[in-house]
Amino acid sequence: GAGVSQSPSNKVTEKGKDVELRCDPISGHTALYWYRQSLGQGLEFLIYFQGNSAPDKSGLPSDRFSAERTGGSVSTLTIQRTQQEDSAVYLCASSQIWTGGRYEQYFGPGTRLTVT
Amino acid sequence: AQSVAQPEDQVNVAEGNPLTVKCTYSVSGNPYLFWYVQYPNRGLQFLLKYITGDNLVKGSYGFEAEFNKSQTSFHLKKPSALVSDSALYFCAVREDSNYQLIWGAGTKLIIKP
């Protein structure tokens, strides 16, 4: 079946502009995660959605970052007033309903954001 | 607090030799352990996981990992390395009471012909 998709694959924006990144998870997956990965580095957790529960926003680096998930499926990560330090690859992952943590996450190809 | 350590930033192996990528973890409860691989300019791909049962877990592309509870380790292994195995490898752990994965910093694996 289809995997996790993300769009756009690349985004170049000017400092101060707002950007929206989209994630379409695997059908039936109720858990959705956003991560940030700087060049050649590890993953930085941003936000987690599980079904209709309130999201865990503890990883969002500032109030310029927000995310929503509509209808329990597609998610949008919005970065307002982008800064150069926001440049990174933004990864989305989804997994089956979390019951005891045994399910692996499936990742999309990522969106490479460059702020000039 | 949960944590994962990948003590080697880079591992170099000659093609055809066995490879090991190390991972140690710290959790309070039962650990669920995962290995992912990231090829250049691509997203992360799931390789294998340990949930319960046999300590030796087999995964994709001929990789395997051994869960060692006493040493709190989950090292990734392959008997014979291929040049195409060159990539960035991430270990991750989740405590059975927590939905969030804790990620290691990654180990760059370079296989030389």
Side-chain angles (χ1 to χ4, degrees):
Chain A
V4 178
S5 60
Q6 292 186 246
S7 61
S9 56
N10 281 283
K11 177 71 175 179
V12 180
T13 189
E14 292 180 353
K15 178 181 174 182
K17 300 283 189 181
D18 297 351
V19 295
E20 284 190 353
L21 312 180
R22 176 188 168 105
C23 172
D24 207 334
I26 292 173
S27 177
H29 282 191
T30 61
L32 188 148
Y33 302 77
W34 282 98
Y35 295 93
R36 181 166 69 175
Q37 185 179 29
S38 299
L39 186 62
Q41 301 300 309
L43 275 70
E44 176 187 4
F45 166 77
L46 296 178
I47 189 169
Y48 163 73
F49 295 91
Q50 171 58 52
N52 295 322
S53 302
D56 176 359
K57 304 179 181 180
S58 61
L60 294 179
S62 77
D63 58 8
R64 296 186 295 105
F65 288 72
S66 63
E68 62 177 17
R69 189 178 184 191
T70 54
S73 182
V74 172
S75 177
T76 302
L77 177 68
T78 301
I79 309 173
Q80 296 179 311
R81 305 180 303 281
T82 52
Q83 304 294 313
Q84 288 187 329
E85 60 262 29
D86 299 334
S87 296
V89 175
Y90 289 81
L91 294 167
C92 175
S94 70
S95 68
Q96 293 179 342
I97 186 170
W98 179 77
T99 51
R102 60 185 59 227
Y103 293 109
E104 60 271 22
Q105 296 175 17
Y106 291 88
F107 283 80
T111 294
R112 182 175 299 278
L113 175 66
T114 304
V115 182
T116 61
Chain B
Q2 303 173 75
S3 66
V4 176
Q6 293 183 243
E8 302 152 318
D9 291 336
Q10 182 169 310
V11 171
N12 297 298
V13 178
E15 186 176 27
N17 283 0
L19 69 86
T20 299
V21 182
K22 296 179 180 178
C23 173
T24 59
Y25 66 91
S26 175
V27 298
S28 302
N30 294 320
Y32 294 159
L33 294 149
F34 302 80
W35 275 103
Y36 286 80
V37 60
Q38 186 176 34
Y39 297 102
N41 300 314
R42 294 174 65 178
L44 275 76
Q45 296 179 32
F46 168 72
L47 271 181
L48 51 79
K49 64 182 177 183
Y50 171 81
I51 303 300
T52 187
D54 289 342
N55 291 339
L56 185 63
V57 178
K58 294 187 182 297
S60 306
Y61 311 122
F63 284 93
E64 58 188 28
E66 186 168 12
F67 171 62
N68 188 315
K69 188 173 183 178
S70 63
Q71 296 185 5
T72 61
S73 67
F74 190 56
H75 301 331
L76 181 70
K77 300 182 179 184
K78 187 173 182 180
S80 178
L82 301 173
V83 173
S84 57
D85 293 330
S86 299
L88 191 57
Y89 290 80
F90 291 95
C91 180
V93 67
R94 174 188 282 136
E95 196 175 60
D96 60 2
S97 60
N98 196 326
Y99 56 81
Q100 195 175 135
L101 270 178
I102 304 301
W103 294 84
T107 297
K108 186 175 183 179
L109 178 63
I110 297 177
I111 309 298
K112 298 184 177 180

